[in-house]
Amino acid sequence: MSALFDFYGPLLTDKQNRCLQMHLFEDFSLSEISAELGISRQAVYDMLKRSEQLMQQYEDKLGLAARSIKEKKELSSILNDLTQIEQEIHDDRLNNIIERISVLTSDSKEA
């Protein structure tokens, strides 16, 4: 769900977004989220379920998260192949390509 949130969280309302952030990343309980947002526990539960369903619908239609995961795996495979070749050839151009692909496959969000 956190991967979907990375892609589709900005499409949610501010309240849905904050509710999911507290639930997914800050490990708040329903009661804690309820107190923070000033709504009932049932409303928190319903909002979480609706938000998760909405993000899943976006993914079903757009497939951005699945595509990103597939591309990252392929880039990692290419990077491994290039690293093995570089150990045999030692070419600065190849080093440059390896560094560029490493940035694309890293988990940091520096885009």
Side-chain angles (χ1 to χ4, degrees):
M1 199 48 59
S2 63
L4 293 182
F5 183 79
D6 289 343
F7 283 93
Y8 306 114
L11 299 175
L12 301 173
T13 66
D14 290 341
K15 202 167 198 176
Q16 288 171 324
N17 196 304
R18 182 65 187 130
C19 186
L20 272 171
Q21 281 182 357
M22 288 187 282
H23 178 68
L24 294 173
F25 305 113
E26 299 171 29
D27 201 27
F28 278 34
S29 69
L30 295 181
S31 297
E32 292 169 325
I33 296 170
S34 170
E36 184 76 21
L37 297 180
I39 59 178
S40 70
R41 287 179 66 239
Q42 184 62 45
V44 170
Y45 177 82
D46 292 343
M47 186 182 303
L48 288 171
K49 290 303 167 198
R50 273 195 314 271
S51 300
E52 290 172 356
Q53 289 172 349
L54 187 57
M55 290 190 309
Q56 188 60 56
Q57 289 172 358
Y58 289 144
E59 177 61 14
D60 292 344
K61 290 178 183 174
L62 301 172
L64 298 177
R67 179 179 174 186
S68 176
I69 291 167
K70 182 180 176 185
E71 288 173 351
K72 197 171 228 181
K73 284 181 183 178
E74 183 62 22
L75 281 172
S76 291
S77 176
I78 292 169
L79 179 61
N80 287 337
D81 291 345
L82 288 173
T83 301
Q84 290 176 359
I85 292 169
E86 194 277 330
Q87 290 173 355
E88 298 170 12
I89 297 177
H90 303 295
D91 185 328
D92 287 338
R93 293 173 299 167
L94 194 52
N95 261 340
N96 188 359
I97 293 169
I98 290 170
E99 288 175 19
R100 289 167 46 205
I101 293 175
S102 292
V103 169
L104 294 174
T105 59
S106 72
D107 286 334
S108 69
K109 295 185 179 185
E110 302 171 9

